Amino acid sequence: MELHKARSEAEGEKRLGFEDFVRSQYNALVKFLSRRNNIEDAKEIAQESIISLLNYREKGQVSDWRPLLYRIAVNHSYKFSRKEAPYRDRPAIDGEHIADDAPTPEEQAILAQRAKLLQQAILELPPKCRRVYLLRHGHNLTRAEIAQRCDISRQMVQKHLVTAMLHLQRQVGFLRGDGL
């Protein structure tokens, strides 16, 4: 009987200790959780965390409760965020804040000028060189396909492409990768 009474008193002390611990930690825990959540959500997460901590009150010492409570709270906060994310209000986006990828009028003028210079430089290429360049960059044919179509070797295709690129670089001042 005394053993049963002693155990009941020990459990009562532990229960009071746990309740005191919860009372002392609740406000600090809510404040901690409100850094990433609104106050209502922080209070709800804190309550769920304390309920989860009830499972551990018999297993550990009082000194273990605080770090465990905060770890449980962080885990509940992550779960809550994932669960609530689809329902959160998202700010409306108006048309003025969307980035426009269209070139400005000045950029359009520069591109048009470059296109005209490139076209002129392509027309100045020797006929065979021009044909190889246009098949490669205008029709996206491979070197092997160009060689077969023009009935020349792959090395000759490469030579014509190098000649064309050097000529365009001298005449226009940029290569295809810089804009055209």
Coordinates of all heavy atoms in Angstrom, one line a residue, residues 10 22 26 29 35 54 102 111 135 141 166:
A10 N 4.9 10.4 -6.4 CA 5.9 10.7 -7.3 C 5.3 11.1 -8.7 O 5.8 12.0 -9.3 CB 6.9 9.5 -7.5
V22 N 5.0 23.4 -18.5 CA 4.2 23.9 -19.6 C 3.8 25.3 -19.4 O 3.8 26.1 -20.4 CB 3.0 22.9 -19.8 CG1 2.0 23.5 -20.8 CG2 3.4 21.6 -20.3
Y26 N 4.9 28.1 -22.2 CA 3.9 28.4 -23.2 C 4.1 29.7 -24.0 O 4.2 29.8 -25.2 CB 2.5 28.3 -22.6 CG 1.4 28.5 -23.7 CD1 1.1 27.5 -24.6 CD2 0.8 29.7 -23.7 CE1 0.1 27.7 -25.5 CE2 -0.2 30.0 -24.7 CZ -0.5 29.0 -25.6 OH -1.5 29.2 -26.5
L29 N 7.2 29.8 -26.1 CA 7.1 29.0 -27.2 C 6.2 29.6 -28.3 O 6.5 29.6 -29.5 CB 6.4 27.6 -26.8 CG 6.3 26.6 -27.9 CD1 7.6 26.2 -28.5 CD2 5.5 25.3 -27.4
R35 N 7.5 33.9 -35.0 CA 8.5 34.4 -35.9 C 8.2 33.9 -37.3 O 8.5 34.7 -38.3 CB 9.9 34.0 -35.5 CG 10.4 34.7 -34.3 CD 11.9 34.5 -34.2 NE 12.1 33.7 -33.0 CZ 13.3 33.0 -32.7 NH1 14.2 33.1 -33.6 NH2 13.4 32.4 -31.6
L54 N 3.3 15.4 -24.1 CA 2.7 14.5 -23.0 C 3.2 13.1 -23.1 O 3.4 12.4 -22.1 CB 1.2 14.6 -23.1 CG 0.5 15.8 -22.6 CD1 -1.0 15.8 -22.9 CD2 0.7 15.9 -21.1
A102 N 10.2 41.7 -74.0 CA 10.3 42.3 -75.3 C 11.3 43.4 -75.4 O 11.5 44.1 -74.4 CB 8.9 42.9 -75.6
L111 N 18.9 45.9 -83.3 CA 18.8 44.5 -83.9 C 18.5 44.6 -85.4 O 19.0 43.9 -86.2 CB 17.7 43.7 -83.2 CG 18.0 43.3 -81.8 CD1 16.8 42.6 -81.1 CD2 19.2 42.3 -81.8
L135 N 22.9 26.9 -95.3 CA 22.4 25.6 -94.9 C 22.7 25.3 -93.4 O 21.8 24.6 -92.8 CB 23.1 24.5 -95.8 CG 22.7 24.5 -97.3 CD1 23.5 23.5 -98.1 CD2 21.2 24.1 -97.4
L141 N 21.2 22.4 -90.8 CA 21.7 21.1 -91.2 C 23.0 20.8 -90.5 O 23.8 21.7 -90.2 CB 21.9 21.1 -92.7 CG 20.6 21.2 -93.6 CD1 20.9 21.2 -95.1 CD2 19.6 20.2 -93.2
L166 N 34.7 34.2 -90.3 CA 35.7 35.3 -90.2 C 35.3 36.5 -91.0 O 35.5 37.6 -90.6 CB 37.0 34.7 -90.8 CG 37.7 33.7 -89.9 CD1 38.9 33.1 -90.6 CD2 38.1 34.4 -88.6

